[in-house]
Each structure stands twice: as C-alpha cells, then as structure tokens.
Amino acid sequence: MNLPRIAVDAMGGDEGVRVMIEGAALARRRHDRFKFLLVGDEARIKAALENHPGMSGASEILHCEDVVGGEEKPSKALRRAKTTSMGLAVDAVKQGLAGAAVSAGNTGALMAMSKLALRTMPGLDRPALAALLPTLTDDDVVMLDLGANSEGNSRNLVQFAIMGAAYSRIVSGRERPRVRLLNIGTEETKGTEDIQDAANRLRAETGLAMDFEGFVEADKINRGECDVVVCDGFSGNIALKAIEGAARFVTDLLKQAFASSIRSKVGFLVSRPATELLRHHLDPNNHNGAVFLGLNGVVVKSHGSANAKGVANAVEVAARLLEDDITNRIAHDLAQIGDLGGRASGATAGLAAK
Amino acid sequence: MNLPRIAVDAMGGDEGVRVMIEGAALARRRHDRFKFLLVGDEARIKAALENHPGMSGASEILHCEDVVGGEEKPSKALRRAKTTSMGLAVDAVKQGLAGAAVSAGNTGALMAMSKLALRTMPGLDRPALAALLPTLTDDDVVMLDLGANSEGNSRNLVQFAIMGAAYSRIVSGRERPRVRLLNIGTEETKGTEDIQDAANRLRAETGLAMDFEGFVEADKINRGECDVVVCDGFSGNIALKAIEGAARFVTDLLKQAFASSIRSKVGFLVSRPATELLRHHLDPNNHNGAVFLGLNGVVVKSHGSANAKGVANAVEVAARLLEDDITNRIAHDLAQIGDLGGRASGATAGLAAK
C-alpha cells in the first residue's frame, strides 16, 4: 500500500525542531516507505535535516514561523490556526496534503484545531483522546477519554468504547479487545447513572467487535487484564495523572532511598540492569502516541517531552492508524448500533481545555 | 483529659480478632490512658486478650456473634445493625457507651450504619470519607471524599474542604492547612461548573481556618505541596485507587526486574535497607485510619488488611479526633460561612455503596 505522507509539526513540544526531525528520521529508518510534510521554520528544519541525509528525498517542507505556546489558551491559539506550524500540519490533513498529523505541542490547542479543521465523524457526538499505558504484560492498555471532554454521558461512553476497541484492535492485534468501564466498584449497582446505563447498553449489544467485561477499578488499570479502559474525560484525566504521579513518587522515593547510604549506593550499582528495566518499562517514550479518535482524519499527540524514539513511536502510531483505516473502522462499528449508544441526557460535555 | 473509651469492632477485617486486639493493645502500650469496648465473640476476644495482660483492666467486652461480610451489600448489612459487631460498635457511640468506633470491616456497610445511627451533623449536607496519603515530605496529605458519595456538587465540595481542613489541623498541627481542589488543570477555567463554583466560593471566604490555594492535578497529590485535596467521591475513589494501583505496579515491576538476573539479586540484597525504606513509606499500615467526617460521632475505618501496627494507628487517629473534638471544630467552621457553601443544584449525590 502506498502510505500517505505524514505531516509533522516540527516546532511543537519542549524539545524543538531537532528532536522532531530526528524522530521522523528514526521512524523512516525502520519503515522506508514513510514520507513527510515537515511544517515549521524552513531554515531550522533544513539545518536539522543535514544530519539525516536519507530524509531529504522523503520530505517536503511547509514553511511557517509562528508557533503555539505550551501554556497558550486553546481559544487564543485557535485564532492563529492558519499561521502556526500546528494549525498548518492539521490543515494539511484536511486539504489532503497529508494523511495524518503528528504534533508534540499544546494538547488543548491541538484538540481544538483538529476538531475545527477535521470535524467530528458523522454519527458520533464527541471525539476522545486515547493513550496507551504500560501493563504488567507485554501489551499496552488503551485508555480513553483522557480529557478531550470534561464530562461524558452514557451515550458518549458507549461511543468511546467503540472507538477504543477499534484502536486496540490495531495496536494489540486482538479481533475482540476486552473492554471495561472505569468505575468505583465492580458490582452492577456501583457508580453513576450514566456509567450503569452505558454498561447495560454495552452488555446488550452483541454485534460489536469487542468483549465487554463490565467494570474495572482504577487500581487494576495496569494489571493487563483488559485491553480498553473507558471513562469520561474528567475521570480519565484524574486517573492518568494519578498513575503518572504515583509512578514518579515511587521512583523518587527509590532514588532517595538508594542515596541514603553507601551500602545502598553499591546495591544500586550492582542492580542497575534491574532499575534500567524499570525505567524502560515506565518510560513514556515507549508508549508514546496519544490519539484523537472520532475525527475525519488522524491526529497523533506526541508527548511534549518525548525524545526522538518517542517521536518515532508517535509517527508509527499515525502510520498504523492510516494503514488500518481507523476512521472507517469506527464508522463501521458505530453503524452496528441503532441509536448510536443510548441516552444523551444527563451530564453535558464540553471541551475541557477552554 | 479523661479520654472516652473507644469501641473496637473486634470481628471486622481480613485478619480477625487476634490482630484487632493486638492492635488495641499496641495502642495502649503507647498511651496507657486508652480504654476499650471490645465488640464481638466473647470467647475469642478473651482468648486473644490472654496474650495482653495489660488490656484486661482497660477493656470491657460486648458479646455478639454476628459479623458483617466483607462483600456483603451495605443495604443488607444495615438490617443487622443491632446484631453485628460492626453495628454494635457504632451504636455504642450513639448510646454514649464509647466516644469513637474503629472497624476494619466492609467500608460501605460501616458508612451506612454510621450514617443511620449517628446522623449527619446539623448544617451539613453530606458526610465524607477522608484518608491520609503519603507524600515526599514527612507530612501526610488528607484527601476527601473517597467514595462516601458517588458525586458532589459545589456546596458539598466547600463543606468537604472545611471538614478536610479540620482533620488536617489535627494530624499536621498546621493552624491554616493548605487546601486545593482536585481538577484536570490548574487554570481557573478548567473543570466542571461545580468545581469552579466551589473554588470561587472558597477564594471569597476569608474567615475560614485554611489557605485555599486553587486547584491541584492528580499527579501532584503526593508531592507534599498541599495538606488537603478536596474532590467528589467518584473522582476521589478513582484517584486513590489509581495511586494504589500504580504504586503496586511499580513495585511489582521492580520485583520482576530484581528477580531477572543473579547480578540484580545480589544488588537487591546489598540495597535491602533502601527497599525496606521504600516499603515502610508505601506501607498503608503507616497511614492507616480513614475517617468518616461530618457525623455526630467519630468513626474510623481501619484498612481491611491492616496488621496490628495499622490497627494501633487507627485507634490513635480515633483518640486524636476525640481529644481535639473534631465534631465541634467542624461545626464551628461551618458556622463561618453564611449559606453553608454555595449552590446545591447540579449533580445529585447518593451513597456510593448501594
């Protein structure tokens, strides 16, 4: 298959042009059919390309100087969609100049720009932000929504489940991913009305390409016992950040502890392969590529502080979503359910990043 | 001060009578003014007391044979409030036979029984479940609500903040604890309407004995930068369990990693003091004593799998809440705000553990 090229926002993220280009080049060394539209300051991109001679034939530069700030309000950034590297990368997907966009910039701005330019898929109420989290097994778990919406009613949750399953099929290779709703208990009576209603609906739908297995509590997300964890954007953001914070907390404690005596320092040196393995497993660069699902086009958010390997992973995620035609897969699954997934009343949802 | 005695549900929890009695005895070895009402099977309690001769003069036994099951539905357990060790321990507080109750049993049942017997404080809409979490500093952080309610409107959140600050004053000794609302970002525009409304109200109230410092994201809960984290019961339960799960995930990875080579095993042995320190810091027994705040009486929930040290900590928490007269402190603070904390519309809250 002739893979459409990937638009890379070369200016976004904490690490700047050099790392974005290095990441794209690394992805291309793994898959030489990758082609790029590199969006950003031409002089700086050309300078970065000098270290990667293989990239010149595979990439075109779309020059622009304006950049979305990391702390900039999405509403403000949105006004500069036509002049910023992020906005132009997304617009390239809309114009058909690229098949997918990858950016390491401001998540809220990227979501806002993507929604405005690409629009939500027909038949879907709201897009969602999905990410891959590490588990105790070799497989990552897909979790969504992670904050594209600040709430989510039962109909949103059912649609998130369908999108998450479609994403999981691509990354895990499972034809019927195991899907669970995040809840504060596993009994059927637990949680809000919206969650219970979504669970009833997912239990009743037998035509969906997933195994819906009820609820999962937040302490089991990383156990590797399910492939997709579905939640509203507020809870998902809380859970994701709580996990990140706790993992950092434990590793910080470990560092304090290892630094507290000479004997421990010696132990640390001897056991370095073990702690390296831990670092490898927890390193977000190995699980990079949060995805906006439910838009008419593929947009991947690379972690703001991702290194070249992380950027390469995000580019590969974009390529796999294109190859597997995620948008049509989701459309197909949505069509399996009659009224698009249950009651739309209850909580109202809004773009979290106002 | 003559400390009222503490009713101990001797039958609750995974570890049974022996550990509950051992925990009470350990607390009494630290503070010999502690007196107990031990509720449960008399023969088994007496057998357990034989190992702790100092306890006989300090404790009375209230015999009963019925026990609330760990997985039992609170609504079902509630019907046996007058015959179970848990129900009788709580009832002893109501009857004035004890100043506080400690149980390691079923959290939902304990909450339901406590609400029914002790009732919510006048002027307060809903009680909350608060716990102590470890931080990178020497101080624990108070977090609430952790699931006593499955949602929380802005008025509930303001009241939770007041209760959390009162609890933190007792455990941290700070006269003006630093209070933050859990949110998905720190900008003023982030989050739900209820959270923004609660923040506006807490910012405007200057007569409260706390420093309200805005929002905290879930990855900063354990940094030790605030003393109280306030959230609705659903988010709190998600955050707490996500933290527990991630901490276990990292330590499990660490174990896998250390077990993966002989060199690492040697390193592990040499650095054992470091990993012991980690274990000590993460051990829930060192932070034991979740508290139901906002009732006409003190009820402390000991962790179901707590060891004797954990139970002793829970008993000490109960004693400190009694000594510092937490109920009157909360009543005093509630009286500082005119209309009890803002709009009560929006989400409706219900007992999470139905």
Side-chain angles (χ1 to χ4, degrees):
Chain A
M1 163 182 172
N2 207 346
L3 188 74
R5 62 184 177 174
I6 293 164
V8 175
D9 168 10
M11 315 293 280
D14 310 339
E15 304 298 323
V17 177
R18 196 187 50 74
V19 165
M20 294 306 292
I21 301 301
E22 198 181 323
L26 180 58
R28 194 177 144 74
R29 279 207 295 280
R30 296 188 200 152
H31 306 275
D32 61 10
R33 68 212 153 80
F34 284 8
K35 291 191 164 32
F36 300 100
L37 180 67
L38 305 172
V39 190
D41 185 275
E42 186 164 16
R44 291 169 64 191
I45 292 175
K46 277 191 170 161
L49 282 174
E50 278 175 17
N51 298 320
H52 308 285
M55 283 283 283
S56 322
S59 41
E60 188 186 337
I61 298 173
L62 179 58
H63 173 73
C64 80
E65 286 165 11
D66 204 1
V67 183
V68 173
E71 300 295 315
E72 196 171 334
K73 282 201 177 174
S75 54
K76 197 180 148 212
L78 214 48
R79 280 177 242 139
R80 295 186 295 121
K82 298 286 181 189
T83 59
T84 53
S85 58
M86 179 189 283
L88 289 171
V90 171
D91 192 61
V93 177
K94 183 186 177 187
Q95 306 296 340
L97 301 172
V102 174
S103 174
N106 183 324
T107 308
L110 183 61
M111 182 76 206
M113 285 181 177
S114 301
K115 269 182 81 166
L116 189 71
L118 302 175
R119 302 277 166 194
T120 304
M121 285 175 56
L124 192 76
D125 294 353
R126 296 185 170 279
L129 177 63
L132 300 172
L133 272 66
T135 72
L136 283 179
T137 70
D138 289 336
D139 293 322
D140 287 341
V141 59
V142 171
M143 189 155 112
L144 78 167
D145 175 31
L146 298 174
N149 312 281
S150 65
E151 300 180 43
N153 60 34
S154 73
R155 188 173 146 126
N156 297 143
L157 292 172
V158 169
Q159 296 180 353
F160 295 168
I162 288 172
M163 294 197 285
Y167 185 30
S168 175
R169 276 201 292 286
I170 292 172
V171 292
S172 74
R174 279 179 197 266
E175 263 317 295
R176 296 182 67 79
R178 299 162 299 171
V179 175
R180 287 179 185 255
L181 284 164
L182 185 64
N183 202 349
I184 58 174
T186 53
E187 304 88 339
E188 285 192 16
T189 54
K190 285 285 169 118
T192 61
E193 223 178 295
D194 278 314
I195 291 176
Q196 289 180 27
D197 189 59
N200 290 337
R201 186 54 192 264
L202 287 166
R203 255 182 230 113
E205 285 292 347
T206 51
L208 299 174
M210 67 172 82
D211 287 327
F212 176 67
E213 300 185 342
F215 301 130
V216 60
E217 293 186 79
D219 57 342
K220 305 287 193 309
I221 293 170
N222 298 99
R223 306 311 286 179
E225 290 156 11
C226 62
D227 304 305
V228 183
V229 173
V230 179
C231 50
D232 69 89
F234 191 90
S235 308
N237 188 288
I238 296 285
L240 178 70
K241 287 193 178 144
I243 290 170
E244 288 175 354
R248 195 175 334 122
F249 174 61
V250 176
T251 47
D252 284 356
L253 279 182
L254 206 63
K255 274 182 216 155
Q256 280 184 6
F258 276 124
S260 64
S261 78
I262 288 181
R263 186 175 155 194
S264 289
K265 272 183 197 148
V266 173
F268 181 73
L269 290 175
V270 177
S271 60
R272 183 162 282 181
T275 47
E276 286 299 322
L277 190 64
L278 178 71
R279 193 169 302 148
H280 172 83
H281 212 95
L282 292 178
D283 185 350
N285 287 306
N286 298 323
H287 314 272
N288 197 27
V291 178
F292 293 126
L293 294 172
L295 299 173
N296 295 304
V298 172
V299 178
V300 175
K301 167 70 173 78
S302 177
H303 201 285
S305 58
N307 60 21
K309 194 174 80 179
V311 172
N313 281 343
V315 166
E316 285 183 35
V317 165
R320 288 170 75 181
L321 292 174
L322 278 178
E323 279 183 316
D324 286 88
D325 202 0
I326 181 96
T327 310
N328 277 328
R329 273 194 179 233
I330 292 172
H332 173 267
D333 286 1
L334 277 177
Q336 304 302 306
I337 47 171
D339 67 349
L340 304 175
R343 73 193 258 278
S345 62
T348 53
L351 191 68
K354 278 179 233 174
Chain B
M1 165 182 169
N2 207 347
L3 191 72
R5 61 184 179 174
I6 294 165
V8 176
D9 168 10
M11 315 292 281
D14 311 338
E15 305 297 323
V17 177
R18 196 188 49 75
V19 164
M20 294 305 292
I21 302 300
E22 197 181 324
L26 180 58
R28 194 176 145 74
R29 278 208 295 283
R30 295 187 201 152
H31 306 275
D32 61 9
R33 68 209 154 81
F34 285 8
K35 291 190 165 32
F36 300 100
L37 180 67
L38 305 172
V39 190
D41 185 274
E42 186 164 17
R44 291 168 64 191
I45 292 174
K46 278 191 170 160
L49 282 175
E50 278 175 16
N51 299 320
H52 308 284
M55 282 284 284
S56 323
S59 40
E60 188 185 339
I61 298 174
L62 178 59
H63 173 73
C64 80
E65 284 165 10
D66 204 3
V67 183
V68 173
E71 301 295 315
E72 196 172 335
K73 281 200 179 175
S75 55
K76 199 179 147 215
L78 213 47
R79 280 177 242 139
R80 296 185 294 120
K82 298 285 182 189
T83 60
T84 52
S85 58
M86 180 189 283
L88 288 171
V90 171
D91 193 60
V93 178
K94 183 186 176 188
Q95 306 296 339
L97 301 172
V102 174
S103 174
N106 184 322
T107 308
L110 183 60
M111 182 77 205
M113 287 181 177
S114 301
K115 268 183 82 168
L116 189 70
L118 302 175
R119 301 280 168 192
T120 304
M121 286 175 55
L124 193 75
D125 294 353
R126 297 186 169 278
L129 178 62
L132 300 173
L133 274 66
T135 72
L136 284 179
T137 69
D138 289 335
D139 293 321
D140 287 342
V141 59
V142 170
M143 189 155 110
L144 78 168
D145 174 32
L146 298 175
N149 313 280
S150 65
E151 302 180 41
N153 60 35
S154 73
R155 188 172 143 128
N156 297 142
L157 292 172
V158 169
Q159 295 180 354
F160 295 168
I162 288 172
M163 294 196 287
Y167 186 29
S168 173
R169 276 201 293 285
I170 292 171
V171 293
S172 75
R174 280 179 197 265
E175 264 317 295
R176 296 182 67 80
R178 299 161 301 171
V179 176
R180 287 178 185 258
L181 284 163
L182 186 64
N183 202 349
I184 58 174
T186 52
E187 304 88 340
E188 283 191 18
T189 54
K190 285 285 168 113
T192 62
E193 221 177 298
D194 278 314
I195 291 176
Q196 289 179 28
D197 189 56
N200 290 337
R201 186 54 191 265
L202 287 167
R203 256 182 229 112
E205 285 292 345
T206 51
L208 299 174
M210 67 172 80
D211 287 328
F212 175 68
E213 299 185 343
F215 301 131
V216 60
E217 293 186 78
D219 57 342
K220 305 286 193 312
I221 293 170
N222 297 99
R223 306 312 285 179
E225 291 158 10
C226 62
D227 304 304
V228 182
V229 173
V230 179
C231 50
D232 68 90
F234 191 91
S235 308
N237 189 287
I238 296 285
L240 179 70
K241 288 194 178 141
I243 289 171
E244 286 175 356
R248 195 174 335 120
F249 174 61
V250 175
T251 47
D252 284 356
L253 280 180
L254 205 63
K255 275 183 216 154
Q256 279 185 7
F258 276 123
S260 64
S261 79
I262 288 181
R263 187 176 154 191
S264 290
K265 273 183 199 149
V266 173
F268 182 73
L269 290 176
V270 176
S271 60
R272 183 162 281 183
T275 46
E276 286 299 320
L277 190 65
L278 178 70
R279 192 169 303 148
H280 172 84
H281 212 94
L282 292 178
D283 185 350
N285 286 306
N286 298 322
H287 313 273
N288 197 26
V291 178
F292 293 127
L293 294 172
L295 299 173
N296 295 305
V298 171
V299 179
V300 174
K301 167 71 173 78
S302 177
H303 200 284
S305 57
N307 60 21
K309 194 173 82 179
V311 173
N313 281 343
V315 167
E316 286 184 33
V317 165
R320 287 170 76 181
L321 292 174
L322 279 179
E323 280 183 314
D324 285 271
D325 201 1
I326 181 94
T327 310
N328 277 326
R329 272 195 180 232
I330 292 172
H332 174 267
D333 286 2
L334 279 176
Q336 303 304 306
I337 47 172
D339 66 349
L340 302 175
R343 72 194 258 277
S345 61
T348 52
L351 192 66
K354 278 178 235 175

